[in-house]
Amino acid sequence: MTVHVLGVRHHGPGSARSLRAELERLRPDVVLIEGPPEADGLVDLAKDPDLRPPVALLAHVPGEAARAAFWPFAVFSPEWQAIRHAVEAGVPVRFCDLPAAHSLAARPQEPDGPGAADGDTDGEPDGDTDGGARAVRTDPIGALARAAGYDDPERWWEDAVEHRGDTPFEVIAEAMAAVRDGHVPDEHEARREAYMRRTVRGAVRDGYERIAVVCGAWHVPALTGTPGKAWGAGLPSAKADDALLRGLPKAKVETTWVPWTYGRLAARSGYGAGVTSPGWYHHLFASPDRPVERWLTEAAGVLRAEDLPVSSAHVIEAVRLAHSLAVLRGRPLAGLAEATEAVRAVLCEGAETPVELIQRRMVVGERLGHVPDATPMVPLQRHLRAEQRRLRLKPEALERELDLDLRRPLDLERSRLLHRLLLIGVGWGTLRPSRGKGTFRESWTLAWRPEFDVDLIEASSWGTTVPAAATARVRDLAAAAPALPGLTGLLERCLPADLPEALPAVLEELSARAALDGDVTHLMAALPALVRAQRYGDVRGTPAEGLAAISDALLTRVCVGLAAAAGGLDDDAARDLVGHVDGVHTAVGLLDAGDEPEAAPSAPPSGAPSGSTAETGTPGERTADPGAGPATGPGADPAPDDRPRARWLGALRAVSGRSDLHGLIEGRLVRILLDSGELDTGRAERRMFRAMSAGHPPARAAAWIEGFTSGGGLLLVHDARLLGLVDGWLTSLAPEAFVDVLPLLRRAFAAFAAPERRAIGERVRSLDAAGAAGRAGDAGSAGEDVEAVDDERAAAAVRTVLTILGRA
């Protein structure tokens, strides 16, 4: 009986190639591989050609998504090559690491924590299985690299192992024994190694004669014993190992294969046993001869695909430069560093952006593995795979954009699937602003990540299909929603997902919460999402029964309670209320658009700029005097005051005249009423004149201007009288008052677009003395109840002033 302990670097292409050759030479009758023993029954799936790396073993505690761990394998992983050798040779395979039932029972795991696990990264000692609470005490690769005079452990490993083409397993074992000399493993590491020894003893008891153990190089001394003697000499006894493993916590776990990605395998993703350049390592494994030449040729192809000029001469010179750099640095073969410098200097001519493209496409790479249909899956996973095939939505690791036209049945079904997945917590697609103006378009960014399989397993408790799981999840979210705005947001997400069985539950909960919620700001925050859901349902053809009644009731309560909510507010509360007012005003526009018949727009109010944001009402809402309110003539609608817009603007008119309003609120209400045609320019001027009079503190006047101009700066560009009022007030401020209001004014004008600010500046610069005087006269005559000047009485006053000045 012989036991061969083969120490490897996880995800090392040189180790993988040498291990495969060593196994073919040794011809073992059993192979023990570092990994969770619960996955022994999944090894046969490696025979299936549809199991294509990168893939990972997933172990999880049912019902607890936080307790999950991955053991990833790439095609260049030594463990994967050991599995492939065993299944091709018909040799049994056993995993020999500490069972996941114990490691997952000890503490919650991070989704991509233990992996390859439980810390032994590239021959390093065990890190933490839960994301880093246990620090790595020794870096063996770093220690050996320093002993060899290298400052970069990765470069030393490539020179000493990866570029050699053969891994001297005996030498690695001796090196690790030297590095581990005096090392005392912590409790978790000691238990892992004790279980590995127990597995080897079990294989010996089962009568296997040639046993091959494939593990991280760090564990080799703990599994080999005294060199030159029978296996087990110098190792802890079976009794001692059993005592160490006795009493471990245990949880019920399930295991399966899941797709993995090279991006997730990279160390930058947070995976403990990751490598910084999985794409480069894949290339080294797949191209044993002339790897640098093939790499640079492929890089040229990537750049040409982006319409960058790269010739064959570029490639030849890049190869020469890479090899020359390797010679200068004393390396046996040009590595990734030399190849990258050659790409930057020759192929990209010093530009960094193309180098980043090569980094993303080739050095890291975005390969997504695949698992066969025979892989154990929960029904929800199987249903999603079937939907992906039916809708021709292939999961890919690389981000891609997907534009949908909801008028097409296929795109509509795709949209519903993506919205349903978002509801159950699977963010395969990210909705982004659509490029078109129509509401029938959606734009998504799709990128599949390995942890989505964990999310699907967790969501399987809600149902066996995506629609069923989303429906159950929405019902639970509706019952647990802490506030009314959360319910309306849930409703807005529910409608595009087309979940008719969940909609009644959400509407019932929404109606009950709206009836009991007395906070007007809650109602105002809830109304916009509710109205959008009502209108969006119309666009998609989704029935939205009950929404109109609820939104109408909410608007009525908002109009009634707005006066009480608007008084006596500080700066922060006023700014918050203005945001709610704007949201409700937009929502009312949507409601009115759905209720009103088509009509030719009325003329804008006097002084309103062409192309401004002013809204023009229908003939039934306006009279010859824009400030006189809704019309009641024969041509008007039967009950114009019942329309959402009329009720809302009526509430704003009633509130805007109050004297206890915060300046920001009053200014914003006046602007809304002006743009809506409820105030003409003259009345708006008088409101502004009063707000900026000497009776108000400068800070309140500045807040009023900020609220008034928050709808856009074009009004000041096109209305010289309003601009003159602002200019005259500003230039009349005392220096200390100007310093106080400057931050408010900067914040107000900073919200304008650059062209608007430039146009306002040009208008202010063009103001001359006569214009300023004229505007001042206009402003004075615009005051309410100002009488005409009596020339006779004024003459007496003039004579008195001239006498005082000595000019009579």
Side-chain angles (χ1 to χ4, degrees):
M1 184 274 300
T2 56
V3 177
H4 302 276
V5 182
L6 307 176
V8 299
R9 181 192 190 190
H10 298 300
H11 315 308
S15 294
R17 189 180 299 110
S18 299
L19 176 66
R20 186 68 180 259
E22 185 71 5
L23 291 176
E24 291 174 356
R25 184 185 69 84
L26 296 174
R27 296 185 179 279
D29 47 13
V30 66
V31 178
L32 308 182
I33 301 175
E34 185 181 331
E38 293 90 345
D40 287 350
L42 300 174
V43 172
D44 284 343
L45 284 173
K47 300 177 182 177
D48 195 321
D50 284 338
L51 186 63
R52 299 190 295 271
V55 292
L57 285 171
L58 165 64
H60 66 95
V61 178
E64 298 184 49
R67 295 180 181 267
F70 296 98
W71 283 259
F73 302 95
V75 69
F76 52 82
S77 300
E79 296 88 348
W80 176 256
Q81 291 302 319
I83 293 174
R84 290 293 303 167
H85 168 82
V87 297
E88 290 171 4
V91 175
V93 174
R94 296 180 182 177
F95 289 104
C96 61
D97 204 351
L98 188 69
H102 297 314
S103 59
L104 293 179
R107 53 191 174 274
Q109 307 295 320
E110 293 294 333
D112 56 350
D118 288 332
D120 28 27
T121 75
D122 308 328
E124 296 175 2
D126 301 331
D128 190 12
T129 58
D130 62 0
R134 186 183 294 106
V136 175
R137 292 185 174 85
T138 306
D139 177 6
I141 303 296
L144 294 173
R146 287 191 296 272
Y150 282 73
D151 58 357
D152 184 358
E154 289 289 322
R155 186 161 57 89
W156 173 83
W157 181 267
E158 286 191 358
D159 290 350
V161 179
E162 303 300 341
H163 293 167
R164 287 173 53 93
D166 63 321
T167 299
F169 293 103
E170 296 81 3
V171 175
I172 289 179
E174 292 178 8
M176 289 300 163
V179 173
R180 280 189 63 138
D181 186 25
H183 171 71
V184 178
D186 63 17
E187 185 179 42
H188 181 69
E189 180 184 343
R191 285 172 172 171
R192 291 184 61 203
E193 293 176 344
Y195 196 90
M196 292 180 187
R197 292 189 291 268
R198 173 189 282 184
T199 307
V200 176
R201 295 188 184 101
V204 172
R205 287 194 304 270
D206 291 342
Y208 293 107
E209 293 296 327
R210 299 182 304 279
I211 303 171
V213 182
V214 180
C215 64
W218 175 256
H219 299 296
V220 172
L223 304 180
T224 304
T226 304
K229 295 186 178 181
W231 184 87
L235 295 178
S237 64
K239 184 176 181 180
D241 286 344
D242 291 341
L244 188 61
L245 295 171
R246 189 177 298 117
L248 288 178
K250 191 173 183 178
K252 180 182 178 181
V253 300
E254 296 178 359
T255 57
T256 186
W257 289 105
V258 295
W260 203 252
T261 67
Y262 277 0
R264 203 64 172 171
L265 192 63
R268 65 178 184 177
S269 71
Y271 161 54
V275 291
T276 57
S277 51
W280 168 254
Y281 276 13
H282 180 99
H283 175 77
L284 288 180
F285 182 79
S287 305
D289 64 315
R290 306 178 72 84
V292 176
E293 290 81 349
R294 297 178 187 275
W295 176 265
L296 293 173
T297 301
E298 185 179 348
V302 171
L303 296 175
R304 286 172 188 151
E306 299 295 328
D307 295 330
L308 296 174
V310 180
S311 66
S312 300
H314 282 89
V315 178
I316 294 171
E317 289 303 318
V319 171
R320 288 176 179 171
L321 176 59
H323 287 310
S324 298
L325 289 172
V327 172
L328 289 173
R329 295 168 179 174
R331 306 195 66 180
L333 182 71
L336 178 60
E338 289 73 27
T340 301
E341 291 180 37
V343 167
R344 177 182 291 108
V346 181
L347 302 187
C348 301
E349 299 180 350
E352 285 297 327
T353 301
V355 177
E356 289 296 325
L357 177 66
I358 298 297
Q359 172 74 21
R360 185 175 66 255
R361 296 274 185 88
M362 295 179 60
V363 177
V364 175
E366 283 299 344
R367 294 174 182 263
L368 176 64
H370 185 270
V371 298
D373 291 337
T375 305
M377 299 181 189
V378 296
L380 184 60
Q381 287 176 293
R382 294 195 180 279
H383 181 260
L384 177 57
R385 284 171 67 95
E387 288 293 282
Q388 288 170 337
R389 284 193 291 265
R390 182 177 69 87
L391 300 176
R392 301 196 292 277
L393 278 178
K394 181 181 178 181
E396 298 175 352
L398 191 65
E399 284 190 358
R400 70 183 182 98
E401 297 181 356
L402 179 67
D403 294 322
L404 301 179
D405 185 342
L406 302 180
R407 298 169 297 183
R408 298 171 53 192
L410 177 62
D411 284 358
L412 182 59
E413 287 295 318
R414 288 173 171 177
S415 171
R416 288 170 176 169
L417 175 64
L418 294 173
H419 279 288
R420 291 166 180 170
L421 289 174
L422 287 177
L423 285 170
I424 62 175
V426 180
W428 179 22
T430 301
L431 191 62
R432 52 189 175 81
S434 179
R435 297 173 180 173
K437 296 182 179 180
T439 56
F440 57 84
R441 293 189 180 277
E442 277 187 350
S443 297
W444 295 81
T445 299
L446 303 184
W448 186 266
R449 299 197 299 271
E451 58 267 28
F452 290 157
D453 284 288
V454 180
D455 297 332
L456 287 169
I457 292 170
E458 182 182 19
S460 64
S461 61
W462 304 109
T464 58
T465 66
V466 175
T471 297
R473 180 63 173 154
V474 166
R475 288 173 175 169
D476 274 25
L477 289 174
L484 193 60
L487 269 176
T488 55
L490 178 62
L491 179 65
E492 193 173 13
R493 297 170 58 196
C494 180
L495 279 176
D498 189 24
L499 300 173
E501 296 182 2
L503 193 59
V506 180
L507 289 176
E508 181 179 356
E509 191 70 29
L510 181 62
S511 179
R513 297 281 185 92
L516 297 176
D517 199 328
D519 192 329
V520 175
T521 58
H522 288 176
L523 302 179
M524 296 176 75
L527 186 62
L530 184 63
V531 173
R532 285 195 303 268
Q534 180 180 342
R535 295 290 298 156
Y536 200 34
D538 295 340
V539 172
R540 284 176 170 262
T542 306
E545 294 86 353
L547 289 178
I550 296 175
S551 59
D552 186 75
L554 253 64
L555 178 60
T556 299
R557 295 184 61 191
V558 166
C559 292
V560 171
L562 181 61
L569 301 180
D570 60 14
D571 293 343
D572 293 337
R575 194 169 303 280
D576 185 60
L577 183 65
V578 166
H580 289 314
V581 168
D582 286 340
V584 173
H585 188 64
T586 302
V588 167
L590 288 175
L591 284 176
D592 220 43
D595 293 340
E596 292 183 4
E598 293 292 333
S602 301
S606 175
S610 175
S612 72
T613 57
E615 300 174 10
T616 55
T618 61
E621 296 174 343
R622 304 276 301 282
T623 61
D625 181 1
T632 56
D637 293 328
D641 288 339
D642 290 336
R643 291 190 177 180
R645 184 175 184 274
R647 283 184 287 155
W648 170 243
L649 294 178
L652 296 185
R653 283 197 307 272
V655 173
S656 66
R658 290 173 45 177
S659 60
D660 61 340
L661 288 182
H662 190 281
L664 184 69
I665 298 175
E666 182 182 349
R668 184 62 188 140
L669 296 186
V670 170
R671 176 61 183 273
I672 291 176
L673 293 172
L674 175 64
D675 288 347
S676 301
E678 297 297 310
L679 287 178
D680 58 20
T681 308
R683 295 186 180 186
E685 283 182 6
R686 290 192 289 272
R687 295 284 188 96
M688 179 180 284
F689 183 77
R690 287 202 304 266
M692 293 186 299
S693 64
H696 293 293
R700 186 187 187 281
W704 197 98
I705 293 174
E706 181 182 356
F708 184 80
T709 58
S710 62
L714 283 179
L715 191 64
L716 295 181
V717 175
H718 292 281
D719 197 311
R721 289 177 296 180
L722 294 180
L723 181 61
L725 283 174
V726 176
D727 181 65
W729 168 78
L730 187 61
T731 55
S732 67
L733 289 175
E736 60 275 9
F738 178 79
V739 172
D740 291 339
V741 302
L742 183 59
L744 297 176
L745 293 175
R746 286 179 60 89
R747 181 169 56 192
F749 281 82
F752 298 162
E756 291 180 352
R757 294 198 300 269
R758 184 165 52 251
I760 292 174
E762 293 173 353
R763 291 299 302 271
V764 171
R765 186 167 56 245
S766 65
L767 294 177
D768 55 17
R775 284 190 299 275
D778 291 342
S781 62
E784 295 180 355
D785 303 324
V786 177
E787 296 181 359
V789 176
D790 188 330
D791 293 336
E792 294 182 1
R793 296 175 61 189
V798 169
R799 286 194 297 271
T800 303
V801 171
L802 293 176
T803 301
I804 295 173
L805 296 175
R807 299 176 58 184

